[in-house]
């Protein structure tokens, strides 16, 4: 009973704030509405007994949404969202894409031949998750992690305005890096 | 999920945390953390935070033009709430409000929530200096959070569990602070940073006329400034089960040791604050990434090797 | 128990005070600061934190002062300190006002009732918009420029070059915005003029022009916000107003706004002994050294406050007050030395201030800068060290009875064509672009130009 109530409340808030993301005319509000929605999803996972995943979602999504705030300030030094704005662009196209994706997913849920449950849930889902990730899937995960990390590094390298040769000289021997604002270690 | 805790502990928790925060603020006022206070007696200084709190309660709230008041107030309210939620997993020595299997992650998630809330509070009033205050904290977040997370992880690694009570249990013989000193030091440093207090009071710095709190008066101001003390108290209290053996100790009961150790950590932090100017973002960030992150990683590696060979 | 009745009295016991110094009122500022320290009243960094507004000097008709007052939450009270001797009496009055729930003779209740910022009015061209451009004819007080202060932001990537901020102005808003725009950056930058509109959406930024985008130092095109800094910022040279452009918290440009002239007929407080001696009056070297020592302690106190180290800052200010009250040199010397050595030894402070605001001696000489900034030949920390060194030297020379002959004031030679503080300001402004807000504050504080001296020559 209690679980059902919590589930309903959390899902209602999650969907409601998800809708509000597109209704708000301020980027800050939209970002934090999305955060609220994701926090509720984290709560739902906790409700399912996946404590670790749920709390990690809360942690990571908060960080992610806050980092979006950094960009918001960079591109739009607009405290309190003075200028009303809409994040809806290309409404028709977006509506079509949304509808198609929704239909596909709903069809998938309804039509997929779901297997029957085999076995019982693990005592410690966190441990089970860790073992399933780090056990048989270890190689996959490590490859994936490496690929992701090198993508990040490569993107930063391509995008950066000033590389290490600009900072430390052509032979990389400068004692202190030449930065617009000097940092705390000088590297 | 959380184990059953006596229900009376739930309402007691915020009260206890507030009392702790007031005591910490009073101690800070007595040792002159803010600035000098000649002519004022110890009692007058100690009661200053309380009087200031009452004064703020009676003060008019202030609004700024074209402010996003709703968003700002969400941010203001979230700081103390997150502090109390974080404190929920701190064991008191004889009882614990909640002891979820992922207590350490929960604590960190709540700290991060407070971090995001400070930015909201700075964004809300539609004021440049207040925005700069919030922005500073936000931009600094990863430099604070990554070493913090690794330090927390190291403690969890040492106990082979994320459950706070098991971390306490794992310190039967030896406190974690003794054999993972780097993690403990980084925890203290980044805990203060996540509470944006003292040497890390940069988001609320005097150079931006109070930063995120610059445009708030009355209850609003109290929520943010008080929330900061709550966060600091909660993080100091959490260092006890993580690194200082929890309520373990001779003679005194568990709660006595917990209280004593928490007070000692807070006192060390408050006294250390007087030695340092505010650590500015661009200096600390490079230090965090180039020194603290590798340091905590090496510490975690060391602990992992020890645990594997146990 | 009359709790409601007790609260005002409680609030009046140690009210946080926002001290605003008018140009030329250094003597009054010091008197008020000494009095505040003696009573243990905290000083507020801005109007929101304050219960009392204390104006040092003659308030005159400065509009921004009235706006600052309007931005203060109740209960609040106002007093002015026109003469240094009035400080104790004025603060007594402030306490009485607060405990009785009265507000005092508030600064000109500007703009009360004036229709302003009516919806739909063009951005920045409101009824009382002062064409704030320098040299626009009207006598400018630093406060006047807030008429054009507007802030904006635009997020439209799909529409630009529309009207400057279509109005959705709010009367109350304008009023407050301007006060804080000056003192506290109420989120209104002054519009660029070419504010980019926003296609397809209902525009409007509180009736004020919007900020435009501009390149930043990393080659990105980001929002740029213009705003005036000062004159009511805490730990800020009294009366100085800088017009700055911000991207994030990085200063992209900074120029000095025309300042309000200090009242004529008064020597600038810190340069007084040297100017008097130059004017033919008999001044001892000891008295001049005492003034130099106090001046540097004032600067060091301000610098430490800006760098967020309140304890030694308060100590420096207490020592300064005691010096000016005439405490014996022998009695103060050990304490002064303890302070200067403690600050000079701090590795953290050196780590934090190293490499900021480099001004090589060659460049300083070119600009005509003399005094500590020339002697330092380096960054913010080098200038701090020069101050500390001079404090240590002058604390030993305070009993010298010989007549003063030199003209080397605390901020440089006072016999040049332009007052030293003007030269300092000219030297420091080019160092600000590209610095982060906190660094810019430190750079400014490490030069610590004294606007009282500005009036000495040139315009103002």
């Amino acid at each position: 009973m209690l679980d059902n109530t919590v589930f309903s409340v959390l899902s209602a808030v999650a969907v409601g704030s998800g809708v509000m993301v597109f209704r708000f005319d301020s980027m800050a509000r939209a970002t934090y509405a999305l955060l609220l929605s994701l926090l509720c999803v984290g709560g739902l996972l906790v409700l399912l007994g996946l404590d670790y995943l749920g709390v990690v979602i809360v942690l990571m999504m908060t960080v992610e949404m806050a980092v979006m705030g950094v960009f918001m300030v960079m591109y739009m030094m607009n405290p309190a969202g003075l200028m009303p704005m809409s994040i809806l662009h290309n409404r028709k196209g977006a509506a079509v894409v949304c509808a198609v994706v929704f239909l596909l997913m709903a069809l998938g849920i309804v039509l997929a031949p779901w297997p029957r449950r085999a076995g019982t849930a693990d005592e410690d889902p966190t441990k089970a998750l860790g073992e399933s990730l780090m056990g048989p899937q270890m190689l996959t995960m490590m490859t994936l992690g490496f690929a992701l990390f090198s993508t990040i590094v490569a993107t930063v390298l391509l995008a950066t305005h000033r590389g290490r040769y600009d900072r430390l000289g052509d032979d990389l021997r400068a004692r202190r890096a030449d930065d617009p604002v000097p940092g705390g270690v000088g590297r | 999920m959380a184990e059953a805790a006596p229900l009376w502990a739930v309402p007691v928790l915020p009260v206890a945390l507030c009392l702790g925060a007031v005591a910490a603020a009073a101690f800070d006022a007595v040792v002159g953390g803010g600035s000098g206070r000649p002519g004022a007696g110890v009692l007058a200084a100690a009661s200053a935070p309380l009087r200031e709190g009452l004064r703020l309660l009676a003060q008019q709230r202030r609004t700024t033009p074209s402010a996003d008041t709703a968003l700002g107030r969400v941010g203001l309210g979230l700081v103390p709430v997150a502090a109390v939620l974080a404190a929920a997993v701190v064991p008191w020595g004889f009882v614990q409000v909640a002891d979820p299997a992922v207590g350490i992650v929960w604590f960190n998630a709540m700290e991060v929530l407070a971090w995001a809330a400070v930015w909201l509070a700075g964004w809300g009033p539609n004021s440049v200096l207040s925005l700069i205050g919030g922005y500073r904290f936000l931009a600094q977040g990863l430099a604070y959070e990554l070493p913090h997370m690794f330090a927390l992880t190291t403690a969890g690694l040492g106990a082979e569990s994320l459950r706070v009570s098991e971390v306490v249990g794992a310190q039967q013989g030896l406190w974690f602070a003794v054999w993972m000193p780097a993690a403990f030091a980084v925890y203290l440093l980044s805990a203060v940073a996540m509470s944006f207090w003292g040497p890390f009071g940069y988001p609320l710095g005097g150079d931006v006329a109070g930063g995120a709190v610059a445009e708030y008066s009355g209850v609003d101001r109290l929520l943010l400034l008080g929330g900061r003390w709550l966060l600091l108290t909660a993080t100091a209290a959490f260092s006890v089960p993580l690194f200082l053996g929890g309520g373990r100790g001779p003679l005194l009961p568990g709660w006595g040791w917990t209280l004593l150790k928490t007070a000692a950590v807070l006192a060390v932090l408050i006294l250390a604050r007087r030695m340092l100017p505010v650590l500015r973002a661009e200096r600390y960030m490079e230090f965090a990434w180039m020194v603290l992150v590798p340091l905590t990683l090496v510490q975690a590696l060391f602990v992992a090797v020890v645990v594997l060979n146990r | 128990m009359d709790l409601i009745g007790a609260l005002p009295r409680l609030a009046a016991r140690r009210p946080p005070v926002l001290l605003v110094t008018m140009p030329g009122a250094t003597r009054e500022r010091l008197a008020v600061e000494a009095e505040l320290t003696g009573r243990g009243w905290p000083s507020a960094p801005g109007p929101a934190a304050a219960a009392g507004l204390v104006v040092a000097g003659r308030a005159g008709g400065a509009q921004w002062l009235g706006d600052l007052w309007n931005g203060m939450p109740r209960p609040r009270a106002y007093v002015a300190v026109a003469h240094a001797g009035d400080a104790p009496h004025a603060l007594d009055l402030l306490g009485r006002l607060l405990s009785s729930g009265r507000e005092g003779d508030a600064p000109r209740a500007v703009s009360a009732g004036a229709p302003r910022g009516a919806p739909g009015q063009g951005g920045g061209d409101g009824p009382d918009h002062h064409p704030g451009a320098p040299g626009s004819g009207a006598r400018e007080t630093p406060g006047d420029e807030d008429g054009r202060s507007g802030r904006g932001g635009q997020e439209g990537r799909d529409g630009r070059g529309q009207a400057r901020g279509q109005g959705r102005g709010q009367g109350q808003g304008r009023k407050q915005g301007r006060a804080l725009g000056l003192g506290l950056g109420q989120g209104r930058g002054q519009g660029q003029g070419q504010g980019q509109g926003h296609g397809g959406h209902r525009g409007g930024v509180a009736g004020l022009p919007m900020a435009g985008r501009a390149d930043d130092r990393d080659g990105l095109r980001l929002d740029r916000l213009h705003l005036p800094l000062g004159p009511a910022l805490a730990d800020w040279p009294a009366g100085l107003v800088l017009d700055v452009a911000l991207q994030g918290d990085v200063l992209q440009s900074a120029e000095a706004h025309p300042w309000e002239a200090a009242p004529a007929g008064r020597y600038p407080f810190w340069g007084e002994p040297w100017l008097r001696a130059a004017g033919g009056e008999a001044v001892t070297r000891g008295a001049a050294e005492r003034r130099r020592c106090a001046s540097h302690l004032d600067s060091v106190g301000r610098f430490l406050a800006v760098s967020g180290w309140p304890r030694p800052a308060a100590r420096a200010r207490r020592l300064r007050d005691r010096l000016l009250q005439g405490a014996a040199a022998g009695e103060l010397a050990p304490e002064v030395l303890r302070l200067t050595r403690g600050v000079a030894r701090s590795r953290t402070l050196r780590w934090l201030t190293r490499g900021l605001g480099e001004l090589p001696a060659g460049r300083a000489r070119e600009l005509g800068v003399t005094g500590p900034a020339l002697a330092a030949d380096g960054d913010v920390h080098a200038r701090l060290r020069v101050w500390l060194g001079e404090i240590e030297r002058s604390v030993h020379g305070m009993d010298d009875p010989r007549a003063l002959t030199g003209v080397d004031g605390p901020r440089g030679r006072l016999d040049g064509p332009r007052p030293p503080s003007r030269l300092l300001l000219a030297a420091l402004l080019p160092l600000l672009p590209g610095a982060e807000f906190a660094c810019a504050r430190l750079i400014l504080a490490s030069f610590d130009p004294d606007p009282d001296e500005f009036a000495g020559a040139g315009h103002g």
Side-chain angles (χ1 to χ4, degrees), chain A residues 62-109:
Chain A
T62 312
V63 175
E64 266 173 40
M65 291 302 132
V67 167
M68 263 172 69
V70 176
F71 290 94
M72 218 186 296
V73 176
M74 274 166 64
Y75 289 111
M76 192 186 70
M77 271 192 78
N78 178 9
L82 276 178
M83 272 292 276
M85 63 160 298
S86 158
I87 59 170
L88 299 176
H89 295 284
N90 185 15
R91 286 170 183 243
K92 267 186 199 154
V96 171
V97 171
C98 286
V100 169
V101 170
F102 176 79
L103 280 178
L104 278 178
M105 287 169 79
L107 275 177
I109 293 172

Side-chain angles (χ1 to χ4, degrees), chain B residues 74-177:
Chain B
V74 167
L76 290 171
L78 211 51
V79 175
V81 168
V84 172
L85 285 178
V89 294
V90 178
W92 302 359
F94 62 103
V95 71
Q96 188 171 3
V97 173
D99 189 19
V102 290
I104 292 180
V105 190
W106 170 263
F107 183 84
N108 196 217
M110 291 305 115
E111 275 184 313
V112 167
L113 211 55
W115 168 65
V118 172
W119 182 74
L120 272 188
W123 172 273
N126 182 24
S127 151
V128 171
L129 294 186
S130 137
L131 174 72
I132 289 179
Y135 185 50
R136 282 175 170 182
F137 196 32
L138 202 59
Q140 205 53 354
L142 290 184
Y144 289 166
E145 167 64 13
L146 284 181
H148 191 54
M149 202 150 50
F150 287 134
L152 288 173
T153 313
T154 310
L157 199 59
E160 296 179 64
S161 167
L162 292 171
R163 194 186 289 274
V164 181
S165 55
E166 284 172 19
V167 176
V168 176
Q171 300 177 60
Q172 195 80 50
L174 197 57
W175 288 2
F176 281 175

Side-chain angles (χ1 to χ4, degrees), chain C residues 121-390:
Chain C
Q121 128 200 341
D125 290 321
D128 51 16
H129 167 63
H130 297 272
S136 63
R139 180 181 163 276
E140 293 245 337
T141 63
D144 278 345
E145 106 258 79
D146 52 22
R148 64 176 167 156
S149 71
R151 80 132 271 110
Q154 83 298 333
E155 51 282 298
R157 256 138 244 150
D158 47 359
R160 37 167 47 214
Q162 216 168 299
R164 333 183 332 163
Q166 312 86 320
R168 185 179 70 166
Q170 299 173 357
Q172 174 68 11
R174 278 294 285 289
K175 188 165 71 198
Q176 282 196 358
R178 13 176 69 217
L180 305 172
L182 283 168
L184 271 179
Q186 170 62 308
R188 347 226 106 217
Q190 77 221 20
Q192 293 256 75
Q194 92 292 7
Q196 297 148 12
H198 194 256
H201 304 297
R202 205 161 40 86
V205 187
L208 295 160
M210 295 182 289
R213 268 181 267 179
D215 293 331
D216 87 333
R217 65 176 185 212
D218 299 322
L220 297 169
R221 199 164 173 78
L222 304 176
D223 242 21
R224 175 178 283 205
L225 207 60
H226 289 250
L227 84 156
L229 282 184
L233 271 174
D235 305 313
W236 182 264
L240 182 69
V241 179
L242 294 185
D243 289 328
V244 301
L246 282 172
Q247 276 174 340
D249 69 343
V250 178
L251 262 70
Q252 297 296 356
S253 76
E255 42 193 276
H257 196 79
W259 41 81
E260 194 173 2
R266 233 175 151 187
Y267 288 122
F269 182 75
W270 295 123
E272 192 184 5
W274 294 271
L275 292 169
R276 276 191 195 284
E281 290 178 51
V283 181
T284 64
R285 287 189 193 183
E289 287 309 308
R290 183 177 286 268
R291 189 63 59 92
R292 181 196 307 281
C293 189
S295 169
H296 286 340
L297 279 173
D298 186 49
S299 301
V300 168
R302 176 174 288 163
F303 179 85
L304 293 175
V306 169
S307 65
W309 204 4
R311 252 173 80 87
R315 271 172 66 199
R317 287 169 171 168
R318 271 204 300 282
L319 287 169
R320 169 202 70 188
D321 294 340
R322 285 171 63 193
L323 268 179
L324 292 173
Q325 283 154 8
E331 180 192 330
L332 280 184
E335 272 190 67
V336 171
L337 293 186
R338 222 176 25 246
L339 174 76
T340 52
R341 289 190 185 144
V343 173
R345 250 204 326 263
S346 168
R347 282 158 179 269
T348 322
L349 192 64
R350 198 178 67 207
W351 176 60
L352 287 170
T353 52
R354 193 177 52 191
L356 290 180
E358 297 259 9
L359 182 70
R363 177 84 186 119
R365 213 170 280 120
E366 244 171 67
L367 291 163
V369 169
T370 50
L374 174 68
D377 181 24
D379 56 10
V380 165
H381 193 256
R383 286 189 286 276
L384 176 70
R385 291 297 293 267
V386 171
W387 278 341
L388 296 173
E390 289 196 1

Side-chain angles (χ1 to χ4, degrees), chain C residues 85-129:
Chain C
D86 296 345
H89 170 70
L91 291 189
D92 284 342
L93 177 64
L94 188 74
R96 277 203 305 279
L97 285 172
L98 278 172
S99 57
S100 67
R102 283 173 299 151
E103 299 196 335
D105 194 7
R108 213 154 60 82
V110 274
S111 61
R116 108 187 17 235
Q121 128 200 341
D125 290 321
D128 51 16
H129 167 63

